[in-house]
Amino acid sequence: MTGIDAVGRTPAEIVPVLFEENVLFADLVRDSDPDLPVPTCPEWTMRKLGTHVGRGDRWAAAIVATRATERVDTRDVADGKAPSPADEFGAWMRGGVAALAEAVEKVGPDTPVWTFTGPKPAAWWLRRRLHEQTVHRADAAIAVGAGFDIAPVLAADGLSEWLDLLTARPGVGGPMLTDDASMHLHSHDADGLGSAGEWVVRPDGDTIAWDHGHKKSAVAVRGSAADLLLTILRRLDAEDPRVEVLGDRAVLSSFLDATPF
């Protein structure tokens, strides 16, 4: 389990967590069969999963370093191919997050840069890449049959970050939530997350709006912050006994079907 007890919003707070998650993910990929399929990422192998994350970190670093105002082509990212020798993979992975952290420090965390949700401060990419590591670490753990341990506060922040991304994206094939059907997510972690452990998600046209709070909704989903994160990102089946679904299950099902991968 990670030793991180809190996730902040400044680079000084996020970067150490990012590096820790990067190492945990890299170790799983390095020690596995590179051709092992990843069930939660159809048609991907562990090698492709590792390359995706390592190249993505370098892609984000290039966006920040160049103060990009338009999308950078991932094919133009330097050193974007994972090394074949397993013993070089960890250093290659760390190099990506190091480049991103250095780029944010150099240009300044508040410098606006391109993101797929519109211009955002450069530091936005640190949090985005952090949660890219956590979710794909779950993918790697599922693939090799290992446990996925994550601090509740980190899982809760990952869920909030994902909901933030969804507010800027239309649903796939239609609205994520319809007919004023809201969804309440409720973490029951023993250490207590307070208001940060509850989410009310509402329809907003083809996208959603959300805030922290407790409100009677069409469907309620209860579980640990980690299991809620994995359920909402479709890494854990909503029928799994680790999560409890109360109310209209069809609302949750349609939400999951309409949210982009």
Side-chain angles (χ1 to χ4, degrees), residues 30-237:
R30 181 199 61 205
D31 296 340
S32 68
D33 178 351
D35 295 322
L36 179 70
V38 181
T40 48
C41 297
E43 301 182 7
W44 282 22
T45 62
M46 289 290 277
R47 178 172 177 80
K48 185 168 183 177
L49 181 69
T51 299
H52 169 77
V53 174
R55 180 184 292 148
D57 292 335
R58 287 165 170 79
W59 177 64
I63 290 168
V64 173
T66 60
R67 297 176 171 84
T69 58
E70 296 181 349
R71 187 182 186 279
V72 172
D73 193 325
T74 55
R75 294 172 296 183
D76 296 334
V77 174
D79 196 26
K81 185 177 180 180
S84 294
D87 58 357
E88 295 179 12
F89 183 75
W92 180 77
M93 285 293 299
R94 289 191 299 276
V97 294
L100 175 58
E102 181 180 349
V104 171
E105 181 178 11
K106 184 174 182 179
V107 307
D110 297 324
T111 299
V113 298
W114 179 90
T115 81
F116 42 79
T117 62
K120 292 286 192 300
W124 180 93
W125 279 106
L126 293 172
R127 187 178 178 222
R128 171 81 289 273
R129 295 310 302 173
L130 166 61
H131 294 303
E132 186 81 354
Q133 319 277 326
T134 61
V135 172
H136 284 316
R137 179 163 70 84
D139 291 326
I142 291 168
V144 302
F148 176 66
D149 294 323
I150 185 172
V153 69
L154 183 54
D157 188 66
L159 180 49
S160 295
E161 197 259 355
W162 175 245
L163 293 175
D164 280 343
L165 293 181
L166 294 183
T167 65
R169 299 179 178 184
V172 175
M176 301 177 205
L177 295 170
T178 60
D179 301 326
D180 296 326
S182 62
M183 180 170 62
H184 178 225
L185 309 175
H186 190 161
S187 165
H188 57 45
D189 287 287
D191 62 352
L193 294 169
S195 62
E198 293 195 69
W199 302 258
V200 177
V201 187
R202 305 177 301 278
D204 186 13
D206 287 341
T207 62
I208 58 165
W210 74 275
D211 53 29
H212 289 296
H214 187 97
K215 182 181 179 181
K216 184 175 177 59
S217 300
V219 65
V221 188
R222 299 177 181 175
S224 68
D227 289 337
L228 289 176
L229 172 69
L230 297 182
T231 300
I232 295 303
L233 275 84
R234 295 190 302 281
R235 268 63 180 186
L236 181 66
D237 193 291

